[in-house]
């Protein structure tokens, strides 16, 4: 038994010596490979090429799918970013427009606050079927709004309060086809004095209609012989007892004689933009008419305090 065990050990040692010898011989730098090495290299290269190309094709296919999915995800994220950018840009533009409107309204309030009390309101409804007739605002009786109060924007008069609820009001516009209330107005005519000084003369008239084709207000009953020219400003006269005085209405576009040649008719470009009504101001004049027809300041129309109870004083 020991002989066969030693024999195996001898064979292993001899194999290790041969292996080390071969490794040492093949590891040194040579100009040519041996034919077994060339045969093995060629064989492995053919086998590797046979399996490498399909594997590379499959790997490239799945890599392409992965790249396409990554591109899809990136494109989706970019589209979402673009949608968000467009939405934010729209909101920014809307805020800028609102800021400009509020600045104009504040400036108009500063100019009018000495003569009138102004109440800001927002337009909350405008029916497309009655687009030129009425709007609804978010202020009512609880906010001090009353029937027939004038309503304007920062640029000019737009109408009057037609009806009032507790928390909202309906405003009849100057462009209404159904408007029956005429507005007394003045045309501010510029006069040139001899010494070069400038003065103004007011010429009265009544705004009665609106021309939807030309989008112009029609002012009638202008005295014949008054020299009315284009671009002269038209303001409210305050003589009607409803609309306060000196609220801007518009500018003269042209003047024509009436059908009978006794008065003149003027066509007026409104100062306010009736297509963009967002924030408005309700104007309360400083005086009003009592039920007896007397013109008194507003505070005098309030209900007087009740007299003291009997026994409470002299």
């Amino acid at each position: 038994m020991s002989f066969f065990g030693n024999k195996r050990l001898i064979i292993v040692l001899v194999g290790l010596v041969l292996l080390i010898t071969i490794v040492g011989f093949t590891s040194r730098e040579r100009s040519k490979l041996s034919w077994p090495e060339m045969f093995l290299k060629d064989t492995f290269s053919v086998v590797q090429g046979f399996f490498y190309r399909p594997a590379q094709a499959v790997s490239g296919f799945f890599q392409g799918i992965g790249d396409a999915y990554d591109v899809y995800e990136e494109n989706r994220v970019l589209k979402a970013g673009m949608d968000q950018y467009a939405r934010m840009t729209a909101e920014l533009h809307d805020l800028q427009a609102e800021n400009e409107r509020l600045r104009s309204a504040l400036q108009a309030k500063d100019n009018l606050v000495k003569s009138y009390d102004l109440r800001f309101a927002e337009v909350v409804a405008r029916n497309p079927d009655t687009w030129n007739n009425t709007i609804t605002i978010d202020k009512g009786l609880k906010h001090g709004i009353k029937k027939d109060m004038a309503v304007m924007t920062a640029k000019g008069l737009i109408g009057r309060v037609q009806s009032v609820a507790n928390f909202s009001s309906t405003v009849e516009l100057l462009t209404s086809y159904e408007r029956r209330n005429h507005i007394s107005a003045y045309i501010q005519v510029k006069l040139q004095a001899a010494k070069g000084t400038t003065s103004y003369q007011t010429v009265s008239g009544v705004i009665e209609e609106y021309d939807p084709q030309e989008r112009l207000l029609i002012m009638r009953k202008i005295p014949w012989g008054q020299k009315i020219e284009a671009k002269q400003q038209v303001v409210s006269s305050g003589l009607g007892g409803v609309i306060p005085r000196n609220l801007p209405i518009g500018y003269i576009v042209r003047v024509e004689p009436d059908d009978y040649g006794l008065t003149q008719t003027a066509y007026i470009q409104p100062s306010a933009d009736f297509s963009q009504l967002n924030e408005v101001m309700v104007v309360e004049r400083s005086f009003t008419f009592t039920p007896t027809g007397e013109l008194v300041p507003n505070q005098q129309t309030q209900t007087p305090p009740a007299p003291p109870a009997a026994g409470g004083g002299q």
Side-chain angles (χ1 to χ4, degrees):
M1 291 291 295
S2 61
F3 173 77
F4 288 103
N6 293 334
K7 186 176 180 180
R8 292 194 190 95
L9 180 60
I10 292 171
I11 292 173
V12 171
L13 292 174
V14 171
L16 288 174
V17 171
L18 291 175
L19 179 61
I20 293 172
T21 303
I22 293 172
V23 170
F25 177 76
T26 56
S27 62
R28 64 183 180 178
E29 187 175 354
R30 294 168 295 159
S31 60
K32 292 184 180 181
L33 297 176
S34 62
W35 69 267
E37 291 176 326
M38 291 188 292
F39 176 77
L40 291 175
K41 283 184 176 292
D42 293 338
T43 302
F44 279 112
S45 64
V46 172
V47 174
Q48 287 178 345
F50 180 76
F51 289 102
Y52 176 77
R53 292 184 179 88
Q56 185 68 17
V58 173
S59 176
F61 174 74
F62 286 105
Q63 182 67 29
I65 294 177
D67 293 341
Y69 181 77
D70 292 340
V71 171
Y72 168 77
E73 287 294 324
E74 184 178 358
N75 188 41
R76 186 174 64 84
V77 172
L78 290 175
K79 283 186 176 181
M82 289 296 295
D83 293 340
Q84 184 178 7
Y85 173 77
R87 184 168 57 253
M88 293 180 65
T89 301
E91 292 177 357
L92 176 61
H93 291 167
D94 183 65
L95 290 175
Q96 289 176 339
E98 182 180 6
N99 186 38
E100 290 297 326
R101 293 196 304 268
L102 293 177
R103 284 178 180 271
S104 299
L106 183 60
Q107 183 178 3
K109 181 180 180 181
D110 292 338
N111 295 333
L112 296 173
V113 73
K114 296 179 181 179
S115 304
Y116 314 111
D117 292 330
L118 301 180
R119 292 178 173 86
F120 284 95
E122 290 188 6
V123 178
V124 295
R126 191 174 187 181
N127 193 331
D129 295 334
T130 58
W131 186 263
N132 290 325
N133 296 346
T134 60
I135 59 174
T136 302
I137 60 176
D138 62 350
K139 296 293 187 294
L141 289 173
K142 298 296 184 180
H143 308 93
I145 307 301
K146 300 177 183 177
K147 187 177 184 300
D148 289 332
M149 281 186 173
V151 183
M152 63 179 297
T153 66
K155 295 182 178 180
L157 183 69
I158 63 170
R160 66 176 185 90
V161 177
Q162 185 182 59
S163 60
V164 188
N166 284 330
F167 300 100
S168 64
S169 301
T170 300
V171 178
E172 183 184 44
L173 302 176
L174 295 180
T175 58
S176 174
Y177 306 131
E178 303 174 356
R179 182 169 58 86
R180 296 181 178 87
N181 295 321
H182 299 166
I183 298 175
S184 176
Y186 283 147
I187 302 173
Q188 295 180 337
V189 179
K190 187 176 181 180
L191 302 176
Q192 293 289 343
K195 296 182 179 181
T197 58
T198 302
S199 61
Y200 287 88
Q201 175 188 1
T202 57
V203 177
S204 61
V206 179
I207 298 177
E208 298 181 352
E209 297 179 39
Y210 174 73
D211 186 346
Q213 302 296 328
E214 298 189 65
R215 298 182 180 181
L216 299 175
L217 299 170
I218 301 176
M219 184 177 182
R220 294 192 170 93
K221 298 183 176 63
I222 302 172
W224 184 261
Q226 296 290 343
K227 187 178 181 181
I228 309 301
E229 299 178 350
K231 298 184 180 181
Q232 291 176 340
Q233 188 173 20
V234 180
V235 299
S236 59
S237 66
L239 300 179
V242 176
I243 304 298
R245 184 184 177 94
N246 288 334
L247 297 182
I249 296 176
Y251 294 88
I252 298 293
V253 174
R254 68 177 186 274
V255 180
E256 300 174 353
D258 69 349
D259 295 337
Y260 302 99
L262 301 177
T263 60
Q264 302 180 82
T265 299
Y267 291 82
I268 303 169
Q269 175 66 50
S271 297
D273 184 1
F274 286 87
S275 64
Q276 298 292 334
L277 297 178
N278 299 288
E279 295 86 14
V280 299
M281 294 176 288
V282 182
V283 185
E284 181 180 7
R285 63 191 308 167
S286 56
F287 55 86
T288 187
F289 287 93
T290 65
T292 60
E294 183 182 1
L295 189 65
V296 296
N298 277 337
Q299 57 268 25
Q300 296 186 15
T301 63
Q302 304 297 326
T303 302
Q314 297 183 356

